[in-house]
Amino acid sequence: MTQKELNEKVKEIIKLIKDDNEFEASILFDELASSLHSQKQYGDIINAFNKVSKIISDKTLLFTFELAYSYVELNDENSAEKVYEFILSNEPKNSAALNNLSNIKKRKRKFKEAFDLISRAIQIEPDDEIITNNYDNLNQIVSEQREREQKFKHSLTYLERENDFVVSKLKLFIQNAKKDENYDNGVLPIAKWKFKVFMQTDEQKSESLREQWLDRNYITNTGQKGNYYETVYEINPFLEKALLNLKKNEINENWIKAIDLINTKSLDEVNYFRNLKRIEKLNKEFRQIVKRDYDELTFNYLAKNNKTTIILSGSLIETLLIYYLKKKKVNTVSYEINNKKISKELFEATLNDLLQYLEQNKELEKQYVLLGNISRIYRNYVHPGKELRESEELDDSKANLCYISASELINNLI
């Protein structure tokens, strides 16, 4: 159809509308749309509709199969969806409209709605090859979706066992993911580095959490890639609501903060990695014990567990002093106190015994003996009777001194 012929037809339809003959105008528009559709003039159908719909009182009088089809061809599926739905409200057994609307729903990932539509279509046209192929494809997708949904729902059983740290990171992750410009109904491409941004934690923890969440189906790898070849993930669609309804168990706030406080930066600031290299030089007899105690000491120090820090610092220093004396081939610790001589086997000696021996025999430089005495003195504060009797608290300053003392002795005695 030429442009001139098209314009004449549109004018004729508009005249009928102005003469209050909207029904006849709609019939004529239907004929025009059918003619243009046969010639694949989809853009002309839309243009004609736009001109006529401006003056007609009820736009749905112009809703035709050809109009909906044209919208799809011109990548306006939202408009096509409305037209097909209107057609089906009047012609519920229109198999072509059912099939095409099903395809739109499928592309929008509304698989259940798509399958319901194609199921109706195949009942009407069971021998139609296009409808049959679409039905088989959607049947498989829906089956996979059903299985996937069961996995997603089952994954929520892990939530009640998660600590507050993980729960808070899940909430932050969802909140920040939804702000991403590429987020689309729970699906988005995420580069590995972006996980730490979404979770607001360091790279090591974010990677550990990502792996755990994949295992527990909080998120899934769709197998697709984004524009920059990053992995496309889907967030469990039931997760956000489950997090909102999650009944919280009260957990010590310091424990939750501790997980975030322990990272490469904080460990480096307390010379953890420097001291670890020293500890690795120890012989097998001492290495395992010192490494274990130092790890536990550092964890509790960063977690601000002051009482435990003070106790563990004394224990670690005691082990270091035993190591130092054994290396010097000292097997018996002897010293005098109040004119009384005390003698003990090296492995039987307490921290006080070791420090007394070292000080009296000048086996160790004075500043290192003083460092050891700091932990010995402050260990007295952890006695419950002293805590109840006196007002002085086991504060950060005491824990700091004890930790630094142990750290310096590791650096200088090994």
Side-chain angles (χ1 to χ4, degrees):
M1 183 178 292
T2 66
Q3 194 63 44
K4 183 178 179 181
E5 290 172 329
L6 175 59
N7 290 338
E8 289 298 321
K9 284 287 184 184
V10 171
K11 285 179 182 178
E12 188 178 347
I13 294 168
I14 290 172
K15 185 177 183 305
L16 284 169
I17 294 169
K18 288 180 177 179
D19 291 340
D20 291 329
N21 291 319
E22 290 191 350
F23 184 71
E24 290 183 28
S26 68
I27 293 173
L28 191 56
F29 179 81
D30 192 3
E31 292 173 357
L32 174 62
S34 181
S35 175
L36 292 170
H37 180 267
S38 66
Q39 298 170 57
K40 298 184 179 180
Q41 292 178 245
Y42 307 119
D44 288 333
I45 294 174
I46 302 300
N47 288 334
F49 172 78
N50 288 336
K51 289 176 182 178
V52 175
S53 64
K54 288 178 183 178
I55 61 169
I56 197 166
S57 62
D58 183 3
K59 292 181 183 180
T60 61
L61 289 171
L62 306 176
F63 282 3
T64 66
F65 180 90
E66 291 78 14
L67 176 64
Y69 192 95
S70 298
Y71 275 130
V72 173
E73 289 295 318
L74 296 178
N75 298 315
D76 185 358
E77 291 196 332
N78 289 334
S79 295
E81 190 173 8
K82 291 177 184 176
V83 177
Y84 278 131
E85 285 173 347
F86 176 79
I87 291 170
L88 288 170
S89 68
N90 292 294
E91 304 173 50
K93 292 190 176 182
N94 187 322
S95 60
L98 286 165
N99 178 74
N100 291 1
L101 182 57
S102 173
N103 285 333
I104 292 173
K105 299 286 189 184
K106 176 185 169 184
R107 285 190 287 271
K108 289 187 173 185
R109 299 181 64 83
K110 296 178 179 179
F111 298 119
K112 187 178 183 307
E113 292 179 47
F115 186 66
D116 289 343
L117 289 162
I118 202 66
S119 297
R120 286 163 58 189
I122 203 168
Q123 287 180 349
I124 299 163
E125 296 284 353
D127 298 325
D128 186 293
E129 187 177 351
I130 293 174
I131 290 175
T132 301
N133 288 338
N134 287 341
Y135 175 84
D136 290 341
N137 178 255
L138 271 166
N139 190 28
Q140 182 178 349
I141 290 173
V142 168
S143 296
E144 290 171 356
Q145 285 290 111
R146 196 176 292 118
E147 184 179 344
R148 173 177 151 277
E149 185 176 303
Q150 288 174 347
K151 286 181 179 178
F152 277 144
K153 286 181 177 178
H154 179 263
S155 78
L156 302 181
T157 60
Y158 296 110
L159 274 183
E160 291 182 359
R161 287 174 271 171
E162 300 288 10
N163 60 44
D164 281 6
F165 174 78
V166 174
V167 170
S168 68
K169 293 308 173 189
L170 277 169
K171 288 178 178 177
L172 274 172
F173 174 78
I174 295 172
Q175 177 185 317
N176 290 320
K178 289 172 77 172
K179 293 177 185 175
D180 192 277
E181 61 181 359
N182 295 310
Y183 180 87
D184 181 19
N185 196 29
V187 178
L188 77 160
I190 314 175
K192 267 195 175 183
W193 65 266
K194 219 168 189 178
F195 275 92
K196 67 178 182 181
V197 178
F198 285 172
M199 296 179 194
Q200 294 179 19
T201 188
D202 63 52
E203 188 171 352
Q204 189 174 7
K205 290 192 188 73
S206 68
E207 177 58 17
S208 175
L209 287 171
R210 185 186 72 87
E211 290 178 1
Q212 288 177 38
W213 295 357
L214 283 167
D215 286 342
R216 294 172 188 177
N217 281 313
Y218 296 157
I219 57 174
T220 57
N221 183 337
T222 65
Q224 300 173 336
K225 295 290 181 182
N227 293 332
Y228 301 99
Y229 300 101
E230 66 273 59
T231 301
V232 176
Y233 295 89
E234 181 178 9
I235 300 171
N236 184 327
F238 308 106
L239 184 60
E240 187 172 18
K241 185 178 179 182
L243 285 168
L244 289 173
N245 297 328
L246 187 64
K247 185 179 179 182
K248 289 180 66 177
N249 293 315
E250 290 299 323
I251 297 177
N252 187 309
E253 191 176 344
N254 277 350
W255 298 351
I256 308 307
K257 289 179 180 177
I259 299 171
D260 241 357
L261 286 170
I262 299 168
N263 51 55
T264 305
K265 182 174 180 292
S266 64
L267 289 169
D268 194 45
E269 286 173 351
V270 298
N271 295 314
Y272 173 80
F273 300 109
R274 179 201 72 180
N275 292 339
L276 207 57
K277 287 180 181 177
R278 294 276 186 183
I279 293 169
E280 290 299 326
K281 295 178 182 178
L282 290 170
N283 58 39
K284 188 177 180 181
E285 183 181 14
F286 283 91
R287 189 190 311 128
Q288 185 178 350
I289 295 173
V290 173
K291 170 70 166 55
R292 178 201 64 198
D293 287 358
Y294 182 55
D295 281 347
E296 290 184 12
L297 171 63
T298 302
F299 174 86
N300 282 283
Y301 174 64
L302 292 175
K304 297 192 178 300
N305 296 328
N306 294 332
K307 181 173 181 176
T308 309
T309 299
I310 292 169
I311 294 171
L312 286 172
S313 70
S315 177
L316 178 59
I317 289 170
E318 192 172 314
T319 307
L320 290 169
L321 295 178
I322 290 172
Y323 161 77
Y324 177 78
L325 290 172
K326 185 169 176 58
K327 189 177 178 183
K328 294 176 75 69
K329 302 191 183 308
V330 174
N331 295 313
T332 304
V333 173
S334 300
Y335 62 93
E336 286 188 9
I337 185 166
N338 297 327
N339 296 320
K340 181 181 178 182
K341 187 172 183 179
I342 296 172
S343 183
K344 291 185 179 181
E345 294 295 318
L346 179 61
F347 287 170
E348 298 295 326
T350 64
L351 178 58
N352 182 60
D353 294 328
L354 296 167
L355 290 168
Q356 290 281 3
Y357 170 81
L358 288 165
E359 186 173 13
Q360 290 182 19
N361 291 276
K362 301 189 182 336
E363 291 278 0
L364 187 63
E365 292 180 47
K366 190 173 182 179
Q367 68 266 30
Y368 300 133
V369 175
L370 290 173
L371 288 174
N373 267 309
I374 289 172
S375 287
R376 181 186 66 79
I377 292 166
Y378 283 140
R379 272 209 301 193
N380 293 332
Y381 281 91
V382 303
H383 189 278
K386 188 173 182 63
E387 278 197 275
L388 292 167
R389 187 172 61 250
E390 300 180 9
S391 59
E392 193 167 358
E393 295 181 359
L394 294 172
D395 56 16
D396 289 351
S397 62
K398 293 181 178 63
N400 289 343
L401 284 170
C402 289
Y403 183 82
I404 292 168
S405 298
S407 176
E408 284 303 300
L409 287 171
I410 289 172
N411 191 45
N412 288 282
L413 295 187
I414 299 175

Short mmCIF file of all heavy atoms in Angstrom, two decimals, residues 205-236:
data_model
loop_
_atom_site.label_atom_id
_atom_site.label_comp_id
_atom_site.label_asym_id
_atom_site.label_seq_id
_atom_site.Cartn_x
_atom_site.Cartn_y
_atom_site.Cartn_z
N LYS A 205 36.90 -12.13 53.03
CA LYS A 205 35.62 -12.52 53.63
C LYS A 205 34.53 -12.59 52.56
O LYS A 205 33.67 -13.47 52.59
CB LYS A 205 35.22 -11.54 54.73
CG LYS A 205 36.08 -11.63 55.97
CD LYS A 205 35.46 -10.84 57.11
CE LYS A 205 36.40 -10.77 58.30
NZ LYS A 205 37.52 -9.87 58.07
N SER A 206 34.56 -11.64 51.62
CA SER A 206 33.51 -11.63 50.59
C SER A 206 33.60 -12.88 49.71
O SER A 206 32.58 -13.45 49.34
CB SER A 206 33.61 -10.37 49.73
OG SER A 206 34.77 -10.38 48.93
N GLU A 207 34.82 -13.32 49.43
CA GLU A 207 34.99 -14.53 48.62
C GLU A 207 34.51 -15.77 49.37
O GLU A 207 33.85 -16.65 48.82
CB GLU A 207 36.45 -14.68 48.21
CG GLU A 207 36.79 -15.94 47.41
CD GLU A 207 36.00 -16.08 46.12
OE1 GLU A 207 35.41 -15.08 45.63
OE2 GLU A 207 35.94 -17.21 45.58
N SER A 208 34.83 -15.81 50.67
CA SER A 208 34.38 -16.93 51.51
C SER A 208 32.86 -16.97 51.58
O SER A 208 32.24 -18.04 51.43
CB SER A 208 34.97 -16.80 52.91
OG SER A 208 34.46 -17.80 53.76
N LEU A 209 32.23 -15.80 51.78
CA LEU A 209 30.77 -15.73 51.84
C LEU A 209 30.14 -16.08 50.50
O LEU A 209 29.12 -16.78 50.45
CB LEU A 209 30.33 -14.34 52.28
CG LEU A 209 30.57 -13.98 53.75
CD1 LEU A 209 30.28 -12.51 54.00
CD2 LEU A 209 29.71 -14.85 54.67
N ARG A 210 30.73 -15.61 49.42
CA ARG A 210 30.19 -15.92 48.07
C ARG A 210 30.12 -17.43 47.86
O ARG A 210 29.10 -17.96 47.37
CB ARG A 210 31.07 -15.27 47.00
CG ARG A 210 30.53 -15.42 45.56
CD ARG A 210 31.52 -14.89 44.55
NE ARG A 210 32.66 -15.78 44.44
CZ ARG A 210 32.73 -16.83 43.62
NH1 ARG A 210 31.70 -17.12 42.82
NH2 ARG A 210 33.79 -17.60 43.58
N GLU A 211 31.18 -18.13 48.22
CA GLU A 211 31.21 -19.58 48.05
C GLU A 211 30.17 -20.27 48.93
O GLU A 211 29.49 -21.20 48.49
CB GLU A 211 32.61 -20.11 48.35
CG GLU A 211 33.65 -19.71 47.30
CD GLU A 211 35.04 -20.20 47.63
OE1 GLU A 211 35.20 -20.88 48.68
OE2 GLU A 211 35.98 -19.90 46.87
N GLN A 212 30.05 -19.80 50.17
CA GLN A 212 29.04 -20.37 51.08
C GLN A 212 27.63 -20.14 50.54
O GLN A 212 26.79 -21.04 50.57
CB GLN A 212 29.15 -19.71 52.46
CG GLN A 212 30.37 -20.11 53.26
CD GLN A 212 30.44 -19.34 54.57
OE1 GLN A 212 29.43 -19.10 55.21
NE2 GLN A 212 31.64 -18.95 54.97
N TRP A 213 27.38 -18.95 50.04
CA TRP A 213 26.04 -18.60 49.55
C TRP A 213 25.67 -19.38 48.30
O TRP A 213 24.52 -19.74 48.10
CB TRP A 213 25.95 -17.10 49.29
CG TRP A 213 26.08 -16.28 50.53
CD1 TRP A 213 26.20 -16.75 51.82
CD2 TRP A 213 26.12 -14.85 50.64
NE1 TRP A 213 26.31 -15.70 52.71
CE2 TRP A 213 26.26 -14.53 52.03
CE3 TRP A 213 26.05 -13.81 49.71
CZ2 TRP A 213 26.33 -13.21 52.48
CZ3 TRP A 213 26.12 -12.50 50.16
CH2 TRP A 213 26.27 -12.21 51.53
N LEU A 214 26.67 -19.66 47.47
CA LEU A 214 26.42 -20.50 46.29
C LEU A 214 26.07 -21.92 46.74
O LEU A 214 25.14 -22.54 46.20
CB LEU A 214 27.64 -20.52 45.37
CG LEU A 214 27.85 -19.27 44.50
CD1 LEU A 214 29.24 -19.28 43.89
CD2 LEU A 214 26.80 -19.20 43.39
N ASP A 215 26.81 -22.43 47.72
CA ASP A 215 26.54 -23.79 48.24
C ASP A 215 25.15 -23.90 48.85
O ASP A 215 24.49 -24.93 48.75
CB ASP A 215 27.58 -24.17 49.30
CG ASP A 215 28.94 -24.49 48.70
OD1 ASP A 215 28.99 -24.76 47.48
OD2 ASP A 215 29.94 -24.47 49.43
N ARG A 216 24.68 -22.81 49.46
CA ARG A 216 23.40 -22.83 50.17
C ARG A 216 22.25 -22.28 49.33
O ARG A 216 21.14 -22.11 49.81
CB ARG A 216 23.52 -22.04 51.48
CG ARG A 216 24.49 -22.72 52.44
CD ARG A 216 24.79 -21.90 53.65
NE ARG A 216 25.87 -22.55 54.43
CZ ARG A 216 26.41 -22.05 55.52
NH1 ARG A 216 26.00 -20.89 55.98
NH2 ARG A 216 27.38 -22.69 56.14
N ASN A 217 22.55 -21.97 48.06
CA ASN A 217 21.52 -21.47 47.13
C ASN A 217 20.90 -20.14 47.56
O ASN A 217 19.75 -19.86 47.23
CB ASN A 217 20.41 -22.52 46.91
CG ASN A 217 20.84 -23.59 45.94
OD1 ASN A 217 21.37 -23.31 44.87
ND2 ASN A 217 20.64 -24.83 46.32
N TYR A 218 21.65 -19.34 48.29
CA TYR A 218 21.21 -17.97 48.52
C TYR A 218 21.35 -17.18 47.22
O TYR A 218 20.57 -16.28 46.94
CB TYR A 218 22.04 -17.28 49.60
CG TYR A 218 21.93 -17.90 50.98
CD1 TYR A 218 22.94 -17.72 51.94
CD2 TYR A 218 20.82 -18.64 51.36
CE1 TYR A 218 22.84 -18.26 53.21
CE2 TYR A 218 20.72 -19.20 52.62
CZ TYR A 218 21.74 -19.01 53.54
OH TYR A 218 21.64 -19.56 54.79
N ILE A 219 22.38 -17.55 46.45
CA ILE A 219 22.56 -17.03 45.10
C ILE A 219 22.92 -18.20 44.19
O ILE A 219 23.41 -19.22 44.67
CB ILE A 219 23.68 -15.96 45.02
CG1 ILE A 219 25.01 -16.52 45.54
CG2 ILE A 219 23.29 -14.69 45.77
CD1 ILE A 219 26.19 -15.58 45.36
N THR A 220 22.62 -18.07 42.89
CA THR A 220 22.98 -19.13 41.95
C THR A 220 23.67 -18.54 40.73
O THR A 220 23.39 -17.41 40.33
CB THR A 220 21.74 -19.92 41.46
OG1 THR A 220 20.81 -18.99 40.86
CG2 THR A 220 21.06 -20.65 42.60
N ASN A 221 24.56 -19.32 40.18
CA ASN A 221 25.24 -18.96 38.93
C ASN A 221 24.33 -19.37 37.77
O ASN A 221 24.03 -20.54 37.60
CB ASN A 221 26.58 -19.69 38.86
CG ASN A 221 27.40 -19.32 37.63
OD1 ASN A 221 26.85 -18.86 36.62
ND2 ASN A 221 28.68 -19.53 37.70
N THR A 222 23.87 -18.40 36.98
CA THR A 222 22.93 -18.70 35.89
C THR A 222 23.60 -19.35 34.69
O THR A 222 22.92 -19.85 33.80
CB THR A 222 22.22 -17.42 35.41
OG1 THR A 222 23.20 -16.53 34.82
CG2 THR A 222 21.51 -16.72 36.56
N GLY A 223 24.96 -19.31 34.67
CA GLY A 223 25.67 -19.84 33.52
C GLY A 223 25.81 -18.83 32.39
O GLY A 223 26.44 -19.11 31.38
N GLN A 224 25.23 -17.65 32.59
CA GLN A 224 25.32 -16.60 31.58
C GLN A 224 26.44 -15.62 31.93
O GLN A 224 26.94 -15.60 33.05
CB GLN A 224 23.99 -15.86 31.48
CG GLN A 224 22.83 -16.76 31.07
CD GLN A 224 21.49 -16.05 31.13
OE1 GLN A 224 21.34 -15.07 31.85
NE2 GLN A 224 20.53 -16.54 30.38
N LYS A 225 26.82 -14.79 30.94
CA LYS A 225 27.86 -13.79 31.14
C LYS A 225 27.32 -12.41 30.82
O LYS A 225 26.46 -12.25 29.96
CB LYS A 225 29.08 -14.08 30.25
CG LYS A 225 29.80 -15.38 30.58
CD LYS A 225 30.52 -15.28 31.92
CE LYS A 225 31.28 -16.58 32.25
NZ LYS A 225 31.94 -16.50 33.56
N GLY A 226 27.83 -11.40 31.53
CA GLY A 226 27.42 -10.02 31.29
C GLY A 226 28.18 -9.41 30.14
O GLY A 226 28.96 -10.09 29.44
N ASN A 227 28.01 -8.13 29.92
CA ASN A 227 28.66 -7.42 28.81
C ASN A 227 30.17 -7.45 28.91
O ASN A 227 30.87 -7.33 27.89
CB ASN A 227 28.18 -5.97 28.76
CG ASN A 227 26.71 -5.87 28.39
OD1 ASN A 227 26.17 -6.74 27.70
ND2 ASN A 227 26.05 -4.82 28.85
N TYR A 228 30.69 -7.57 30.12
CA TYR A 228 32.14 -7.59 30.32
C TYR A 228 32.60 -8.98 30.78
O TYR A 228 33.62 -9.11 31.45
CB TYR A 228 32.54 -6.51 31.34
CG TYR A 228 32.13 -5.12 30.90
CD1 TYR A 228 30.98 -4.52 31.40
CD2 TYR A 228 32.89 -4.43 29.95
CE1 TYR A 228 30.59 -3.25 30.97
CE2 TYR A 228 32.51 -3.16 29.51
CZ TYR A 228 31.36 -2.58 30.03
OH TYR A 228 30.98 -1.32 29.60
N TYR A 229 31.83 -9.99 30.41
CA TYR A 229 32.14 -11.40 30.68
C TYR A 229 32.12 -11.74 32.18
O TYR A 229 32.70 -12.74 32.59
CB TYR A 229 33.49 -11.79 30.06
CG TYR A 229 33.50 -11.62 28.56
CD1 TYR A 229 34.10 -10.50 27.99
CD2 TYR A 229 32.88 -12.54 27.72
CE1 TYR A 229 34.09 -10.30 26.62
CE2 TYR A 229 32.87 -12.36 26.35
CZ TYR A 229 33.47 -11.23 25.80
OH TYR A 229 33.46 -11.05 24.45
N GLU A 230 31.47 -10.89 32.98
CA GLU A 230 31.32 -11.22 34.39
C GLU A 230 30.17 -12.22 34.54
O GLU A 230 29.26 -12.24 33.72
CB GLU A 230 31.08 -9.96 35.24
CG GLU A 230 29.79 -9.25 34.97
CD GLU A 230 29.85 -8.23 33.85
OE1 GLU A 230 30.18 -8.63 32.71
OE2 GLU A 230 29.54 -7.06 34.08
N THR A 231 30.23 -13.02 35.60
CA THR A 231 29.20 -14.04 35.83
C THR A 231 27.87 -13.38 36.18
O THR A 231 27.82 -12.41 36.93
CB THR A 231 29.63 -14.98 36.97
OG1 THR A 231 30.87 -15.59 36.61
CG2 THR A 231 28.58 -16.06 37.21
N VAL A 232 26.79 -13.94 35.62
CA VAL A 232 25.44 -13.45 35.94
C VAL A 232 24.87 -14.34 37.04
O VAL A 232 24.82 -15.56 36.90
CB VAL A 232 24.52 -13.46 34.70
CG1 VAL A 232 23.09 -13.05 35.09
CG2 VAL A 232 25.06 -12.52 33.63
N TYR A 233 24.45 -13.73 38.13
CA TYR A 233 23.90 -14.45 39.28
C TYR A 233 22.41 -14.15 39.44
O TYR A 233 21.93 -13.10 39.01
CB TYR A 233 24.61 -14.04 40.57
CG TYR A 233 26.06 -14.41 40.63
CD1 TYR A 233 27.03 -13.53 40.14
CD2 TYR A 233 26.48 -15.62 41.17
CE1 TYR A 233 28.38 -13.86 40.19
CE2 TYR A 233 27.83 -15.95 41.23
CZ TYR A 233 28.77 -15.07 40.73
OH TYR A 233 30.10 -15.40 40.80
N GLU A 234 21.71 -15.09 40.08
CA GLU A 234 20.33 -14.84 40.47
C GLU A 234 20.24 -14.95 41.99
O GLU A 234 20.74 -15.91 42.59
CB GLU A 234 19.37 -15.84 39.83
CG GLU A 234 17.92 -15.57 40.22
CD GLU A 234 16.93 -16.52 39.56
OE1 GLU A 234 17.38 -17.50 38.93
OE2 GLU A 234 15.71 -16.29 39.71
N ILE A 235 19.62 -13.96 42.60
CA ILE A 235 19.42 -13.98 44.06
C ILE A 235 18.16 -14.79 44.36
O ILE A 235 17.14 -14.63 43.69
CB ILE A 235 19.27 -12.54 44.60
CG1 ILE A 235 20.53 -11.73 44.29
CG2 ILE A 235 19.01 -12.56 46.11
CD1 ILE A 235 20.40 -10.25 44.58
N ASN A 236 18.26 -15.67 45.32
CA ASN A 236 17.12 -16.48 45.75
C ASN A 236 15.89 -15.56 45.93
O ASN A 236 15.92 -14.65 46.77
CB ASN A 236 17.47 -17.16 47.08
CG ASN A 236 16.39 -18.10 47.57
OD1 ASN A 236 15.20 -17.87 47.36
ND2 ASN A 236 16.80 -19.15 48.24
#
